[in-house]
Amino acid sequence: MNDVVVREFVRGLMRQSEVFTQTVILLDGRYDPAAPRKLVVDGMEVQVADSPSVLGAMQACLDHRLAQGLLVLFTTRDERELGVDVCSQAVKHRRLPVHRWQIVLRRFGASDLDPRLRRQRWVADGLLETEPPQGWPKLPGAVLDYDTALRQLARRRLNITGDALDATELLILTSADFAGLDRLRLEERTGLEQWLAHGVGPAAAVLLALARAGHGADALSFGLVAGVLWDTRSIDAADPGLARVQGWAQGRAEAFLGAATEPEQMIAFADASRGVVTRWLTHADGATSADAEHRHRIETVLHQADRLLVQFGAADLAERGELLDAGLRARLRALAVHVGRALDGRAESHATMESGLDRVVTHDLASLRAEQVTPAVMAVRLARWLRDPAPEPRTVADGVLNQVRDWGWVDRAVAALWFGEPMADPATAALYARVHDEVRAVRDRLDGQFAARLAAWTSSSAVPDGLLLIEQVLDRIAAPLTLNDAVPPLLLVIDGMSAAVATQLAEQIRSFGLSEVARNADGREGAVAVIPSVTGVSRTSLLCGRLASGAADTERARFTAFWKSHRLAAELFHKADLPGGAGHRLSPLVLDAISRIDGPDRAVVGVVLNTVDDALDHGREGGRVDWNLGDVAFLPELLAAAKNYGRPVLLVSDHGHVLERERGAPSSDDATSARWRPHNRPPEDGEVELSGDRVLLGDGRIVAPWRETIRYTARKAGYHGGASLAEMTVPVLVFLPALDAPMPEQWHVLSPERVTPAWWSPSTTAVEPARPASGLRKRRQSAPEPADVLFESPQVPVASARGTLGWRVVGSSRYEAQQRYVRKAPDQDVVAAVIDALVRSGDRLSVTALTEVAGTPPLRVPGLVAMLRRLLNVEGYQVLALIDGGKTLELDRALLHSQFELAGVKS
C-alpha cells in the first residue's frame, strides 16, 4: 500500500464521522517502505506505521498516545494476536480491510467496475501503487472497464509516456523499462504479459519473449532480421538451397528468442520494427539533438541486425533485407557485377543492370547511405554513357556546348567514382576503378581533340558568330534582361565553377523556386574562357565586357562603365564586401543595392563568390563529391534576396577547373601557374601550344596541358589555367524569380528534362513541344553559319503521332464524358502530347516541361495542370498526381488503362 490508499481511506472515514474517539486505524496489509510516513489529509495530521509483529504494533500505539492526529498502522496480524490493548485504541476496535477497488474507482472518477476486474486484485494493487503524481485521468463514463485499467497499469509499469500503447511504443522501450517487469509479483507480470499479447497484437508476444530471454535491447534488430527470415514471399521456390538456409536460420532465431512462435507473430513483429526504424529515418538528416539521437539509435540497431544475421547463419539471404546494411551491400555487389558485364558489351546486361540499380536506389537505407549509393548510381550512368561513343568536337563551339550539356555531367559522375565508396569490397572498388578509367580514356581523347581545335581557332583570331566568348556575356546575356525597364539582374560570378559544379547548383536553385531560361530552347549555354583560363584575365574580361587583365579595382571600374553605357547604374561586390555586421548575414550595402530595382536608381548588381576557387587553392575540396548551395558562402542569401525583389539571376563562372587525381605529374621549374607555362620549350605529350589575341599572358604565347594529370606547381586540391574542356568552358545559367516573370523575346523556359542528358536517368528523355509556345516568336532562320557555330537552327517537332497511348485516351468514350466537367478543355492534341511525354519520361514530368510539351505560356501552366487532372482523374482516382511539392506530374499508367477502359499493352 502507499500514501494514496491512506489518504482515500482516511477521507472515507472522515465522511462517516468528523470526530474520532479512537486515534489509531488498523489496516490489513503492508505499507510501501518508500512511501511518506507523515501526511496531512484535509487538514488532519496522519502518521503511518508498518508492523509485521505484535510487539511492533504495541510499541507504535504506545508512541502515538501523546501525539496529535491519527496513526494509520498497517499489519498482517489479526485481532486475537494484537490483543485488547491495541484493538481498544483502534477505530471500530478491529483491523479494517482495504477495499481497493472502491479507492481505485474514486481515483478514476468512476462509480462502477467492469465485472472482469473484481477478482483481479493484482490490477487494483498495481493501479494504487503506480498512480502518477497528478492522479489518474478522469473517465468520460461511469464504468472503469478492463482494457482501460490494464492499459493505464501497463503504461506506468513500462514507463510509456505517450497516449498510445501499441507495438511501436513497446519497441522503443529500453532494457531498463522491461527490467521493471522482472520486479513485479508473478501474478501481475503474467497478467500484464497476457493482456499485452492480446490487446497490443501478435507482435507483443515476440517482444515479451525477447525481454524474458534477456534480449529486449535487441528487439528492433531482431525484428529487421525476422523480416527476412519469415517472409516466405522473398524466397524463390525454385531455389531449395535458400529455402533450407531460411529454415535453419528460423530455428536459430527461435532459440535466441527462447520460445517457439507462430509465423504471423513474427511477421507482425517484423512489420512493427520496420515501421519504427523507417520513422526514425525520416529524421536522420535533421540538425537537432533529437535527430542526432535518432541517427545514433539507427546505427546501433543496424549494426546489431547485421551481427544477428550472421549469428543465425542467414548471410545468404541478406540481399532481401530492405532495412539491413548487409542487404544494401549485397545489392551493391550484385549491381557491380551487372555493370561489369554491361561494360563487356553484353546487350542483355544493360536491362539487368537497370534492374539492379532499381533494387539499390529503392532500398530503405539508400538515403542514409548516400556515400555508398552515389558511386553505384554514377557507375551505371557512366556505363550508359559509354554505350554510345561520344562524338568528336568538330569546333571549339561544339566542344563547349557538349561540355555544358553532356560532358560536364560526365565529369560530375567521374569525380564521384574517383573518391570511391568507403565500404566497397575489393571487387566493387575494382569495378568502379574500371568504369573511371574507361571514361577518363574517352574524356582524354575528347580533351585532346578539343585542345587541337582550340589551338587552331586561337591562332586564327576568328570569332564565329555562334560562339559565345566570356567577354560577351554581359552584352549578349545580361543586357537583354534589362530591356523594356525590366528588373535588372543579379550577376553571380562563382569563381572556378566548372560545368560539373554548375549542374549540381542549378538543380538546387530550381528547388529554391527559381525557373531557368535560356536563349535557345535546346538547353543551356556556355562561353569560352580567356587563355590561360585563370582568374586574373578571364574574370576581369567577363566583368569588363572586353578582353582585359587586372584585379578587383579594374573589374569594379569597368563593370560600372559598361552598364553606364547602357544607361544603368551598377554595383560590383567582391569577397571582402559581403559580410555584414552583428545580426546581418549580408552587408547592408549589398542588400541596399539589390533593393534598387526601379526608378532612376535601378542598378545591375554583380557579386563575386570565391568559395569554389578557394576550396581548390587551399585544399578544402578534399573528398568532396557534391556541391550544395550552402557550401558556397552567401549564395543562399543572395538567391533569397533576388527572389524577394524579383530580380533575374545570371549565374556564371570565369573558368572551370580540374581535380587533383594523385597520379604524379611532370614539374616545371620556370612555371608560375599550375596549368600553364611559358613557351620556352616545345609542348610535350598532353600539352598544347596556344597563341593569338586571346592569349593575354606569356607574351601572347603559352603552353598549357589538356591532360588532367599534368601540373607544374605544388600539389593542391584542384587546378585551372589549362586547355581542357573542364577549364575552358564557362557555364552560363539564367534564372527567373518565378515561372511567369517576364523574359526577353525569343528566350525559352528550360525544363529539368531539357537540361538533363538522357543517359543521366533512365526516365529522362528529350521533351518535344507539340507546337511553338504561344506568345513566343520563332527564331528567325539565319544564313548558313561558319564552320564554328554554337547552335544549329532549331527544328520544331511535330505533335504526337496518332495511335499513341495519348491519342487512345482522348479518343475514348470515357474521355468524351470527362470533357463535360471541364469548361474550355484543352485541345485533344495537347492532352495526347502530355500523356505521351509522360510515358516517354518514365511516367514523371516536371510541370515546367508543360511549357514546351503543350506549347503553353508559363503563366497558364497551373491552369492547364488543373484541367488535365480533372480530365484524367476519373471519379477522384489519382491517374495524374502532383508530387514533389507541386513541381512534378506523375502518371499512374495502369490506372489510366483501367479508368479509360483501354485494352492491350500498357504502353
Side-chain angles (χ1 to χ4, degrees):
M1 306 292 178
N2 57 15
D3 57 310
V4 175
V5 174
V6 173
R7 293 176 189 277
E8 288 298 324
F9 200 95
V10 171
R11 288 192 181 105
L13 288 179
M14 292 175 68
R15 283 192 290 269
Q16 297 175 22
S17 174
E18 295 182 359
V19 180
F20 292 95
T21 56
Q22 288 80 21
T23 59
V24 176
I25 301 174
L26 295 177
L27 291 183
D28 181 21
R30 301 298 306 276
Y31 191 67
D32 185 356
R37 297 296 176 127
K38 292 183 179 181
L39 310 173
V40 177
V41 181
D42 295 343
M44 178 176 290
E45 294 183 4
V46 177
Q47 182 76 26
V48 184
D50 180 88
S51 178
S53 68
V54 174
L55 289 177
M58 294 173 64
Q59 185 62 45
C61 292
L62 180 64
D63 294 342
H64 183 68
R65 284 181 179 178
L66 301 178
Q68 298 294 322
L70 294 175
L71 171 66
V72 176
L73 177 60
F74 284 89
T75 181
T76 55
R77 303 289 183 175
D78 58 28
E79 291 82 354
R80 289 175 298 176
E81 294 177 287
L82 294 172
V84 175
D85 288 344
V86 173
C87 292
S88 63
Q89 301 176 55
V91 173
K92 297 187 181 181
H93 307 300
R94 59 186 175 87
R95 184 182 60 171
L96 302 176
V98 177
H99 298 290
R100 293 166 173 79
W101 281 119
Q102 291 181 6
I103 297 175
V104 170
L105 289 175
R106 286 199 295 270
R107 302 304 295 170
F108 277 95
S111 59
D112 203 357
L113 187 67
D114 189 320
R116 292 175 292 175
L117 290 171
R118 295 191 183 278
R119 295 186 179 180
Q120 305 291 341
R121 176 173 168 174
W122 61 270
V123 181
D125 286 339
L127 291 171
L128 291 172
E129 292 173 9
T130 61
E131 181 173 343
Q134 70 274 18
W136 292 114
K138 302 305 178 184
L139 300 179
V143 179
L144 175 60
D145 65 271
Y146 186 85
D147 286 333
T148 297
L150 270 294
R151 183 179 299 106
Q152 293 293 352
L153 178 57
R155 290 178 63 247
R156 292 292 292 173
R157 290 300 193 196
L158 294 172
N159 295 322
I160 296 175
T161 57
D163 294 332
L165 180 58
D166 53 22
T168 298
E169 289 294 328
L170 293 178
L171 279 165
I172 62 176
L173 296 177
T174 65
S175 298
D177 295 327
F178 282 112
L181 294 177
D182 296 332
R183 295 188 290 269
L184 299 180
R185 294 177 293 274
L186 178 61
E187 184 181 23
E188 182 177 357
R189 172 171 181 161
T190 303
L192 275 177
E193 289 183 350
Q194 290 176 348
W195 180 82
L196 286 169
H198 175 75
V200 175
V206 180
L207 180 60
L208 292 169
L210 283 169
R212 285 194 298 270
H215 300 307
D218 299 328
L220 283 172
S221 303
F222 183 87
L224 299 184
V225 176
V228 175
L229 303 188
W230 270 268
D231 184 5
T232 55
R233 294 169 299 177
S234 66
I235 298 298
D236 188 351
D239 192 341
L242 285 182
R244 285 194 297 271
V245 169
Q246 184 182 37
W248 293 333
Q250 286 177 354
R252 295 186 183 99
E254 289 185 334
F256 179 84
L257 186 66
T261 58
E262 296 297 326
E264 58 269 18
Q265 292 177 321
M266 280 295 190
I267 293 173
F269 181 69
D271 290 343
S273 301
R274 179 173 180 175
V276 171
V277 178
T278 301
R279 186 179 68 186
W280 287 349
L281 282 171
T282 62
H283 300 281
D285 293 332
T288 67
S289 56
D291 297 329
E293 177 62 23
H294 282 131
R295 287 193 294 273
H296 174 71
R297 288 185 176 184
I298 291 171
E299 296 296 348
T300 301
V301 168
L302 295 178
H303 177 71
Q304 180 61 8
D306 278 0
R307 293 182 59 185
L308 290 178
L309 191 73
V310 174
Q311 182 177 334
F312 300 156
D316 290 344
L317 305 177
E319 190 175 349
R320 293 164 171 80
E322 297 288 349
L323 258 174
L324 294 176
D325 267 329
L328 179 59
R329 290 195 298 270
R331 294 185 185 190
L332 288 169
R333 288 193 298 270
L335 176 59
V337 173
H338 300 322
V339 172
R341 292 172 178 169
L343 292 178
D344 291 336
R346 304 182 190 180
E348 71 283 357
S349 296
H350 279 272
T352 308
M353 178 182 71
E354 298 295 346
S355 177
L357 176 63
D358 186 65
R359 286 181 57 76
V360 167
V361 299
T362 58
H363 193 277
D364 289 343
L365 296 180
S367 60
L368 184 67
R369 301 291 186 239
E371 74 282 358
Q372 295 176 244
V373 173
T374 297
V377 174
M378 296 304 184
V380 172
R381 287 169 171 167
L382 292 173
R384 295 187 198 124
W385 184 74
L386 287 169
R387 191 175 187 180
D388 298 317
E392 176 182 346
R394 297 166 297 156
T395 63
V396 172
D398 188 35
V400 169
L401 182 65
N402 276 301
Q403 180 68 15
V404 170
R405 298 183 181 177
D406 191 280
W407 301 337
W409 297 78
V410 174
D411 292 345
R412 174 180 170 182
V414 167
L417 282 190
W418 171 259
F419 291 117
E421 191 252 287
M423 300 295 293
D425 62 278
T428 302
L431 182 278
Y432 292 161
R434 177 187 174 188
V435 176
H436 173 277
D437 292 346
E438 290 192 19
V439 172
R440 278 307 319 160
V442 177
R443 289 292 283 114
D444 281 352
R445 172 177 60 80
L446 297 174
D447 280 333
Q449 293 166 344
F450 172 78
R453 304 291 185 274
L454 181 66
W457 171 70
T458 304
S459 61
S460 69
S461 300
V463 181
D465 293 339
L467 179 61
L468 182 65
L469 308 179
I470 192 168
E471 65 269 22
Q472 297 171 337
V473 169
L474 292 186
D475 185 57
R476 298 190 180 183
I477 307 298
L481 295 170
T482 68
L483 298 178
N484 302 320
D485 294 325
V487 176
L490 172 65
L491 172 65
L492 298 178
V493 182
I494 302 184
D495 198 333
M497 177 180 67
S498 64
V501 174
T503 65
Q504 300 173 64
L505 295 181
E507 289 174 355
Q508 296 167 63
I509 291 174
R510 286 179 178 276
S511 67
F512 211 85
L514 282 73
S515 301
E516 188 172 0
V517 297
R519 296 192 300 174
N520 192 288
D522 291 337
R524 289 176 180 150
E525 196 165 353
V528 62
V530 181
I531 300 171
S533 53
V534 293
T535 301
V537 293
S538 211
R539 192 179 79 189
T540 305
S541 298
L542 164 68
L543 294 172
C544 293
R546 61 186 179 86
L547 290 178
S549 62
D553 291 342
T554 304
E555 293 170 352
R556 186 176 289 109
R558 294 186 179 176
F559 184 77
T560 302
F562 174 88
W563 288 110
K564 185 177 180 179
S565 68
H566 287 71
R567 299 181 180 180
L568 283 169
E571 297 281 356
L572 180 62
F573 299 96
H574 289 81
K575 182 177 181 179
D577 305 321
L578 300 179
H584 296 83
R585 173 67 173 163
L586 278 173
S587 166
L589 292 176
V590 176
L591 293 175
D592 177 68
I594 295 175
S595 70
R596 291 157 50 194
I597 58 174
D598 51 23
D601 293 333
R602 72 190 188 110
V604 176
V605 179
V607 180
V608 177
L609 301 175
N610 297 87
T611 301
V612 176
D613 208 14
D614 286 347
L616 298 170
D617 193 46
H618 298 105
R620 289 195 297 271
E621 176 86 6
R624 183 191 297 276
V625 174
D626 293 322
W627 278 92
N628 300 310
L629 289 181
D631 296 329
V632 182
F634 304 109
L635 180 55
E637 293 82 5
L638 289 166
L639 290 173
K643 186 174 178 64
N644 185 46
Y645 288 104
R647 282 185 181 268
V649 175
L650 171 55
L651 193 73
V652 66
S653 176
D654 52 351
H655 54 74
H657 67 264
V658 295
L659 296 176
E660 167 60 45
R661 301 297 184 183
E662 301 184 8
R663 294 187 179 178
S667 61
S668 178
D669 296 336
D670 54 354
T672 59
S673 178
R675 292 277 290 174
W676 72 271
R677 62 177 176 83
H679 184 268
N680 52 6
R681 64 177 186 275
E684 301 176 4
D685 182 36
E687 296 178 321
V688 63
E689 179 182 333
L690 300 171
S691 61
D693 295 341
R694 296 190 60 77
V695 182
L696 301 190
L697 298 178
D699 297 326
R701 187 181 185 189
I702 67 169
V703 172
W706 54 261
R707 183 171 289 123
E708 288 193 2
T709 55
I710 298 175
R711 58 180 167 84
Y712 303 130
T713 56
R715 177 183 168 188
K716 296 180 180 180
Y719 317 97
H720 56 84
S724 71
L725 280 158
E727 295 163 284
M728 289 297 301
T729 300
V730 174
V732 180
L733 290 72
V734 181
F735 296 90
L736 299 182
L739 189 61
D740 57 351
M743 64 179 173
E745 288 190 12
Q746 301 183 14
W747 283 40
H748 305 265
V749 175
L750 297 182
S751 65
E753 293 85 354
R754 176 64 68 191
V755 298
T756 306
W759 56 266
W760 190 255
S761 171
S763 63
T764 301
T765 60
V767 177
E768 297 180 352
R771 57 183 181 222
S774 303
L776 297 177
R777 297 198 299 268
K778 292 170 60 177
R779 188 181 297 275
R780 182 183 303 167
Q781 298 294 321
S782 59
E785 300 280 3
D788 201 345
V789 294
L790 183 61
F791 300 116
E792 296 179 358
S793 300
Q795 301 294 322
V796 179
V798 297
S800 299
R802 302 273 176 171
T804 63
L805 177 60
W807 278 105
R808 290 167 62 197
V809 169
V810 300
S812 66
S813 58
R814 176 59 62 86
Y815 182 83
E816 183 179 359
Q818 285 293 105
Q819 285 183 295
R820 294 198 299 266
Y821 302 108
V822 180
R823 185 171 174 266
K824 295 183 179 180
D827 292 343
Q828 288 188 348
D829 60 340
V830 171
V831 178
V834 172
I835 294 173
D836 292 336
L838 278 160
V839 171
R840 289 194 303 271
S841 61
D843 298 331
R844 288 189 178 185
L845 190 70
S846 69
V847 170
T848 309
L850 293 185
T851 298
E852 298 178 75
V853 173
T856 301
L859 186 63
R860 298 182 181 177
V861 166
L864 175 61
V865 171
M867 286 190 288
L868 288 170
R869 297 187 70 198
R870 284 197 293 270
L871 285 168
L872 300 182
N873 292 351
V874 180
E875 298 176 351
Y877 288 94
Q878 291 293 303
V879 173
L880 189 64
L882 275 172
I883 61 174
D884 296 337
K887 298 175 184 176
T888 305
L889 285 171
E890 183 176 54
L891 177 68
D892 188 330
R893 210 183 306 182
L895 192 57
L896 179 74
H897 278 76
S898 173
Q899 294 298 94
F900 287 87
E901 301 174 350
L902 303 178
V905 181
K906 294 178 173 52
S907 62

